Amino acid sequence: MENIHREKGNTVVSTYRVVERFISINGEAARAGELAVFIRFAGCNLDCGYCDTKWANEAGVPYEELTEDEIIDYVRRTKVKNVTLTGGEPLIQKDIDKLLLAFELEDDVRVEIETNGSVDIAEFKALGGNVSYTLDYKCPSSGMKNDMCLANYNYIDKNDSVKFVVGSQEDLEKCFEIVREYALDEKTRVFISPVYGSIDPADIVDFMIENDMNDVKLQLQLHKFIWDPEERGV
């Protein structure tokens, strides 16, 4: 995605298209239930059938143009330790690597990137720092299964997570296949979440029992139970 740049003296400063910024709790993944400050970027390279933030991917969505300094200053002012960069797809934002490097200078901040699993994370992981990655694996019901970058499973570690959002028995079977084929339960943290309203979580538990899915966690999206599932900014 093309970024807009500002002039600051003789220096060109990158800006990022931010459609939302707010404080809430993490609704899912490793720090579910903990306070987090969310930075949501505009635009995505996928079009999942069950996406609950399609509005953020629309061409005409309103956004703020924020520099690295403005984003980090906002995070500092919140006094919240967990920072979630989401979207849309944060890793397709031009110069996102510069923002990640800027966050490295922040003490006592933990940055989590929620990525859709289609973007190669190798160059970003090589940056190191205080960043963890939560990768989606898009199951068949998403319509985006063929867009997954499976090479990413060579780079993930115990600080990262892989999340399977499932809406059908077929999705569960694909989840099981991928976890086993890439030994994800040994490499990283693995979560299964239901597509809200599409599958009974009890059926997921039954599937996990039947298939001896140890070291895998069922996770419900907390924010959809606390607030209206359509509400933004939570």
Side-chain angles (χ1 to χ4, degrees), residues 184-230:
L184 295 181
D185 49 348
E186 299 174 15
K187 294 178 179 178
T188 192
R189 299 173 288 204
V190 180
F191 299 93
I192 305 177
S193 293
V195 177
Y196 189 81
S198 295
I199 189 171
D200 189 335
D203 292 337
I204 301 176
V205 176
D206 289 342
F207 184 88
M208 293 171 67
I209 293 169
E210 291 164 7
N211 291 278
D212 301 321
M213 296 185 75
N214 293 294
D215 300 316
V216 173
K217 293 183 180 180
L218 168 66
Q219 189 170 75
L220 307 181
Q221 294 175 298
L222 291 177
H223 50 288
K224 292 189 177 180
F225 289 88
I226 299 172
W227 298 281
D228 187 296
E230 302 299 321

Side-chain angles (χ1 to χ4, degrees), residues 1 23 33-34 37 47 50 52 73 100 104 106 111 127 141 152 165 167 176 178 190 195 197 202 215 220 234:
M1 176 177 290
I23 303 170
E34 295 185 18
V37 52
D47 185 22
Y50 53 69
D52 53 9
D73 180 63
L100 299 183
E104 278 193 37
E106 298 302 299
V111 178
L127 296 173
S141 68
N152 283 336
V165 179
F176 178 73
I178 295 297
V190 180
V195 177
D215 300 316
L220 307 181
V234 295

Side-chain angles (χ1 to χ4, degrees), residues 41-110:
F41 299 101
C44 188
N45 59 321
L46 298 184
D47 185 22
C48 297
Y50 53 69
C51 180
D52 53 9
T53 54
K54 281 186 181 291
W55 61 269
N57 307 329
E58 295 172 357
V61 64
Y63 58 83
E64 299 178 275
E65 297 170 16
L66 299 180
T67 65
E68 294 151 29
D69 288 347
E70 288 168 337
I71 290 172
I72 288 176
D73 180 63
Y74 170 70
V75 169
R76 285 176 184 156
R77 286 186 281 110
T78 68
K79 299 182 180 179
V80 175
K81 294 181 179 181
N82 296 321
V83 180
T84 301
L85 305 183
T86 188
E89 171 51 55
L91 294 183
I92 65 170
Q93 309 300 317
K94 182 174 171 54
D95 296 333
I96 193 70
D97 55 330
K98 294 180 181 178
L99 180 60
L100 299 183
L101 289 170
F103 268 118
E104 278 193 37
L105 303 177
E106 298 302 299
D107 294 330
D108 208 21
V109 167
R110 300 176 292 237

